[in-house]
Amino acid sequence: MFMLEKAMIGSRRYWGWLAFLLVLIALGGVCYLRQLRYGLIVTGLSRDVTWGLYIAQFTFFVGVAASAVMVVLPYYLHDVRQFQKITILGELLAVSSVTMCMLFILVDMGQPARVLNVLRYPTLHSLMFWDMVSLGGYLALNAVISVVMLSAERNGVPAPRWIKPVAILSIPWAVSIHTVTAFLYSGLPGRTFWLTAILAPRFLASAFASGPALLILLCLLLRRLTSFDAGQEAIRKLGVIVAYAMSISVFFVLLELFTVFYSRIPEEMEHFRFLFVGLEGQRHLVPWMWSSVAAASVALVLLLVPRLRERDTVLAAASVLVFVSLWIEKGLGLIVGGFVPSPLGSVTRYSPTAPEWTIVLGVWAIGALMITVFYKITVSVREVR
Amino acid sequence: MRDRVPIAIGLLLFVSMVTFPVWHAAYAKTTAVGPRLKLPERQKACVAPVAFMRASHMKLLTDWREGAVRSDRLTYTAYDGKKYRVNLSSTCLGECHTNKKEFCDRCHQYAAVSGPYCWDCHVDPTSVARRTP
Amino acid sequence: MKITRKEFLCIAGLAAAGAGAAKAVQTIGGADPAAPQASGAAKRWGMVIDFQKCRADRDCDDCLNACRAAHNVPDIPEREREVKWVWKERYEKVFPFQQTDYTRRAFEGHVLPILCNQCANPACVRVCPTAATWKREDGIVMMDWHRCIGCRYCMAACPYGSRSFNWSDPRPHIGKLTSEFPTRTKGVVEKCNFCEERLANGRVPACVEACRRKAIVFGDLNDEKSTVRQLLRARYSIQRTPELGTGPSVFYLI
């Protein structure tokens, strides 16, 4: 079923990697059982910083999921043939990412057994309800598209005609998932750090940089490890996309900084101060944020000079830098920075605990496992052909 | 008949698994006799007939809960017209079932219903009395 | 007709999804049977706290202790994970934008009690994905601890820090347990409920009753003759960050 049999045949290296991931998942599972038993006290979260690593990871990976649109859109709307081989990779990456997002939400809940209350008592004025709708829909769309496309490819027949409108529908849907996720934050009256109309565009720009960066790395990895070659042209084009998106993303952050620091409204400035210079002696995020800035700067230089960008090793390095930079910016700074200082002006230290990191690692491993199996199936289907 | 041994082992495993409940019951000394409950001394009638309570007390408690918390329905008119205050701790436990251990818990144990987690939050008044003399 | 295994699975999956969708449509279309309904006349409960009276007794904890005892509020040793219903906070933190350099000098360090503002337009209610928190017709922002999934969205939305989460089981940290009010379980959010359980029995909130200087006055904001309205007419009062449009029901006389 779903060509899963193709994932059952593999080299020793393949199975070793899967076993490694399963060990990580098991470790995460053990820590999660601990959390279930003792409550979220096993995390570093507190009264003032109520969301941390889990929700930040959720936010980051919604971006990665949405970025599938960066290969789907050129292929379906602009007929960019080079992307033909990798649209499926983007869609499968989206499926894994959305699954990870849902797991991150689940592990963040205080009463996970009651999660279906969101469906039992649908509350239309809550953005969380709409986020669930959009994420669920996006998962379904991408799962259907990838299964149908891959089956057609395996059977050597053209894909059914109805799949094209579905694929086109997934384009605005991808934009919607990250917009609604930004709305989760940008509509809260007391959180000035998030209360900005540019949050959704910022989210999209950083998503369209980090997602394709990851896709470039995955394509290069596939070329090295398997017989599958995405094609030099496709990888180059992805590089251009990352270059544009990263520039726009950095530009948006600079816009934010101008508004905040030229207006000099204290409560607006304090969040950025906390992140970049520290507040009331709390400087633990400062090195992280400056690493993000450094990584972004170097990545921009590497990406914006065509001669550099066209070399695979440079592109790989730039992709790693983009991914790390945005992971810090969105997966750490954006959420924690919004909570500190609190509405009452208190500055609270948040440092994720070991169980918290292990649970996050477990969810990442689930995502990696899904990606591995999905890409294995894809590569096997193409090898046979 | 080279497979005699594996077949025999398989059969043995199958039979032992199928009859496991019997062995377990014998070991745990469970009987078919229902739990011996301690009925309330002060009150003779419940808010609903016994048969209904036995089968559907959880439904009634959920209705009470939703009504009291969300719709401000704080009194309950029973089938016989008598009015009760909707309150798990004060009415159910405080006025009738003053011995939760020998009523609620005993039956739940017998039926192996470990939940629900009502008592994670709601307080048994007699346990408080014992804690703070 | 012959159905392959794959087709069967597809059909079964579609049928299940269809049934789920039908249920969802039904739920959205139909009224929620547990939807909050009217509670009494069109009241709006409000509170007036006299800062002048309150700051005369800086070490007084009467209102805090009364609330703790009435609601099984745990005494969590870790400051970062405290559960707070009504608590004392420094003036400059409570009113960060309502002070000049000179009022700061005069009032800095003075503490006053703060609690859930029972907003007329509560952000927490707007964001809750399960309607586990909602506004009653008498203005009280209620919590249903049976329904809360512990997502803490309301805590992110509340601009007053009035909501607390149970990071672990609170029971071990409750000094003297009362059976008159439930405790909470780990994994749910809680906050001040304006003593709705006492109001239902015609009693004023525990903090109001406990205050030795009668610095806290409680009443119906919709009733022009009520004591709260008289006080608000006679004295100058402020609310916490009213510019956010939340419409707090707790007023401070300065």
Side-chain angles (χ1 to χ4, degrees):
Chain A
M1 192 184 153
F2 298 133
M3 294 161 276
L4 216 54
E5 71 278 0
K6 294 204 188 298
M8 294 298 161
I9 308 154
S11 62
R12 182 175 290 180
R13 195 172 54 190
Y14 169 73
W15 285 106
W17 170 242
L18 288 195
F20 170 69
L21 291 177
L22 285 172
V23 169
L24 290 185
I25 293 169
L27 282 175
V30 169
C31 284
Y32 184 62
L33 286 179
R34 238 179 100 83
Q35 183 184 302
L36 266 187
R37 181 167 172 171
Y38 296 105
L40 282 153
I41 196 162
V42 304
T43 68
L45 296 166
S46 60
R47 207 176 179 284
D48 284 335
V49 186
T50 51
W51 286 340
L53 208 52
Y54 297 151
I55 293 296
Q57 291 308 296
F58 153 78
T59 313
F60 181 75
F61 280 100
V62 170
V64 174
S67 73
V69 77
M70 284 290 104
V71 283
V72 173
L73 186 145
Y75 178 64
Y76 283 100
L77 294 187
H78 299 287
D79 209 24
V80 176
R81 309 301 313 171
Q82 294 96 328
F83 280 172
Q84 188 193 8
K85 282 169 88 176
I86 59 167
T87 45
I88 185 89
L89 299 186
E91 285 150 355
L92 290 171
L93 181 60
V95 171
S96 320
S97 297
V98 175
T99 312
M100 287 167 77
C101 291
M102 290 176 164
L103 288 172
F104 277 122
I105 291 281
L106 191 71
V107 296
D108 186 66
M109 280 189 175
Q111 286 283 340
R114 298 180 185 166
V115 58
L116 289 180
N117 278 2
V118 181
L119 293 174
R120 285 177 71 198
Y121 313 107
T123 309
L124 304 192
H125 49 69
S126 172
L127 258 307
M128 204 168 285
F129 170 77
W130 291 107
D131 209 32
M132 196 200 62
V133 170
S134 68
L135 281 180
Y138 192 62
L139 179 64
L141 280 176
N142 278 290
V144 167
I145 296 167
S146 11
V147 168
V148 167
M149 296 300 277
L150 214 51
S151 318
E153 205 170 312
R154 179 188 56 175
N155 301 337
V157 294
R161 283 163 58 93
W162 57 265
I163 203 67
K164 193 171 174 186
V166 177
I168 288 171
L169 175 65
S170 81
I171 294 170
W173 207 292
V175 177
S176 91
I177 64 167
H178 220 21
T179 306
V180 176
T181 303
F183 285 177
L184 281 182
Y185 307 104
S186 66
L188 306 179
R191 308 283 177 184
T192 46
F193 187 63
W194 299 329
L195 193 68
T196 159
I198 209 174
L199 199 66
R202 250 181 85 187
F203 271 25
L204 286 166
S206 65
F208 295 160
S210 58
L214 182 59
L215 203 54
I216 290 175
L217 293 173
L218 290 171
C219 285
L220 293 175
L221 213 59
L222 282 180
R223 183 154 71 187
R224 174 161 296 185
L225 298 177
T226 70
S227 60
F228 178 82
D229 184 4
Q232 201 58 32
E233 271 307 295
I235 292 175
R236 291 252 166 87
K237 274 220 152 55
L238 281 177
V240 175
I241 288 172
V242 176
Y244 274 111
M246 189 62 185
S247 313
I248 296 171
S249 176
V250 170
F251 176 60
F252 282 170
V253 175
L254 292 175
L255 292 182
E256 198 90 85
L257 287 173
F258 169 78
T259 312
V260 167
F261 283 98
Y262 195 78
S263 67
R264 303 205 72 74
I265 298 172
E267 60 166 335
E268 304 258 349
M269 291 192 294
E270 278 181 339
H271 295 282
F272 287 96
R273 284 227 175 97
F274 166 69
L275 290 177
F276 288 99
V277 294
L279 213 59
E280 293 182 17
Q282 292 291 1
R283 292 197 186 81
H284 58 288
L285 279 184
V286 174
W288 287 94
M289 294 316 289
W290 285 106
S291 315
S292 169
V293 170
S297 316
V298 177
L300 272 185
V301 173
L302 298 183
L303 286 168
L304 289 178
V305 180
R307 235 175 337 121
L308 290 175
R309 181 175 72 215
E310 278 163 15
R311 302 211 335 241
D312 278 356
T313 44
V314 176
L315 187 61
S319 300
V320 170
L321 288 172
V322 164
F323 194 79
V324 169
S325 167
L326 294 176
W327 183 85
I328 294 171
E329 195 234 341
K330 222 157 136 188
L332 214 59
L334 194 104
I335 302 303
V336 180
F339 283 108
V340 185
S342 77
L344 281 165
S346 44
V347 178
T348 312
R349 186 190 173 87
Y350 164 69
S351 30
T353 57
E356 202 174 355
W357 276 113
T358 315
I359 291 171
V360 168
L361 206 62
V363 177
W364 284 344
I366 292 176
L369 184 83
M370 289 177 74
I371 276 290
T372 310
V373 169
F374 291 161
Y375 282 14
K376 171 80 182 161
I377 293 172
T378 311
V379 170
S380 309
V381 164
R382 292 194 173 154
E383 268 170 356
V384 172
R385 232 160 46 101
Chain B
M1 293 294 268
R2 281 176 297 138
D3 299 338
R4 195 177 297 164
V5 176
I7 288 175
I9 293 173
L11 269 178
L12 209 66
L13 267 176
F14 175 74
V15 171
S16 56
M17 269 162 73
V18 164
T19 53
F20 175 74
V22 179
W23 307 122
H24 181 262
Y27 177 73
K29 297 195 183 70
T30 51
T31 61
V33 181
R36 254 182 303 146
L37 304 180
K38 201 169 170 191
L39 293 176
E41 285 154 8
R42 269 182 278 170
Q43 303 281 346
K44 288 294 151 230
C46 194
V47 297
V50 175
F52 175 82
M53 287 308 280
R54 200 169 278 160
S56 312
H57 61 280
M58 54 300 235
K59 173 91 176 64
L60 180 116
L61 287 175
T62 310
D63 288 349
W64 273 29
R65 175 184 102 183
E66 294 286 304
V69 178
R70 305 191 70 94
S71 315
D72 221 11
R73 284 198 298 268
L74 298 174
T75 42
Y76 175 75
T77 313
Y79 64 111
D80 56 0
K82 214 175 148 199
K83 284 192 187 337
Y84 293 90
R85 198 176 140 211
V86 175
N87 193 307
L88 180 64
S89 288
S90 312
T91 308
C92 302
L93 291 192
E95 287 175 21
C96 291
H97 304 285
T98 45
N99 213 335
K100 172 175 164 287
K101 282 208 169 54
E102 284 150 343
F103 186 79
C104 314
D105 295 355
R106 197 167 275 180
C107 193
H108 270 251
Q109 252 158 35
Y110 172 78
V113 180
S114 55
Y117 48 22
C118 305
W119 314 109
D120 284 5
C121 296
H122 291 274
V123 183
D124 174 8
T126 52
S127 75
V128 175
R130 241 178 276 128
R131 249 175 71 147
T132 48
Chain C
M1 194 174 90
K2 218 179 143 200
I3 300 181
T4 65
R5 187 181 50 170
K6 188 168 147 194
E7 279 165 352
F8 171 76
L9 286 170
C10 284
I11 292 167
L14 281 175
K23 170 84 175 132
V25 168
Q26 203 184 344
T27 326
I28 294 170
D32 182 353
Q37 283 160 19
S39 62
K43 279 193 167 100
R44 184 184 162 199
W45 293 117
M47 187 178 272
V48 176
I49 298 174
D50 191 332
F51 184 40
Q52 295 213 352
K53 280 187 185 172
C54 186
R55 76 189 182 117
D57 244 330
R58 286 182 63 174
D59 299 322
C60 169
D61 279 339
D62 287 356
C63 55
L64 279 57
N65 293 335
C67 178
R68 271 179 190 284
H71 301 114
N72 287 321
V73 179
D75 196 3
I76 311 275
E78 241 182 314
R79 198 190 60 81
E80 289 84 12
R81 288 184 172 138
E82 269 178 319
V83 172
K84 299 176 182 174
W85 282 41
V86 52
W87 73 102
K88 290 203 289 196
E89 194 64 77
R90 295 210 305 279
Y91 172 84
E92 65 272 19
K93 296 226 166 189
V94 181
F95 299 112
F97 307 113
Q98 277 166 337
Q99 50 189 336
T100 66
D101 288 348
Y102 304 100
T103 51
R104 181 174 292 144
R105 248 178 253 174
F107 291 108
E108 199 165 85
H110 284 275
V111 290
L112 63 167
I114 56 174
L115 62 158
C116 170
N117 273 316
Q118 314 289 348
C119 301
N121 184 15
C124 53
V125 168
R126 198 155 57 233
V127 301
C128 178
T130 59
T133 190
W134 74 96
K135 201 183 92 172
R136 306 203 314 190
E137 293 214 338
D138 59 3
I140 295 181
V141 176
M142 265 290 271
M143 278 253 15
D144 185 347
W145 294 306
H146 307 101
R147 195 184 277 192
C148 175
I149 59 173
C151 67
R152 311 190 291 296
Y153 199 5
C154 55
M155 295 178 77
C158 176
Y160 304 109
S162 295
R163 289 174 164 269
S164 309
F165 183 70
N166 286 280
W167 300 100
S168 62
D169 181 15
R171 281 251 177 128
H173 304 292
I174 300 172
K176 194 164 176 258
L177 209 60
T178 169
S179 64
E180 286 298 304
F181 201 78
T183 67
R184 270 67 63 196
T185 178
K186 69 167 188 283
V188 297
V189 172
E190 65 180 270
K191 67 167 194 73
C192 158
N193 66 347
F194 248 20
C195 281
E196 60 86 20
E197 82 285 358
R198 291 169 62 100
L199 293 173
N201 296 323
R203 300 169 71 189
V204 293
C207 54
V208 178
E209 197 178 271
C211 182
R212 61 177 86 154
R213 287 183 182 264
K214 304 277 163 272
I216 313 176
V217 181
F218 190 82
D220 181 7
L221 290 171
N222 284 349
D223 176 9
E224 274 192 51
K225 294 189 201 74
S226 66
T227 340
V228 281
R229 284 293 294 275
Q230 281 170 20
L231 273 172
L232 292 174
R233 253 197 312 274
R235 303 263 310 268
Y236 181 73
S237 64
I238 55 175
Q239 295 161 299
R240 293 175 63 195
T241 43
E243 67 273 17
L244 296 178
T246 46
S249 303
V250 178
F251 298 80
Y252 293 86
L253 303 177
I254 295 303

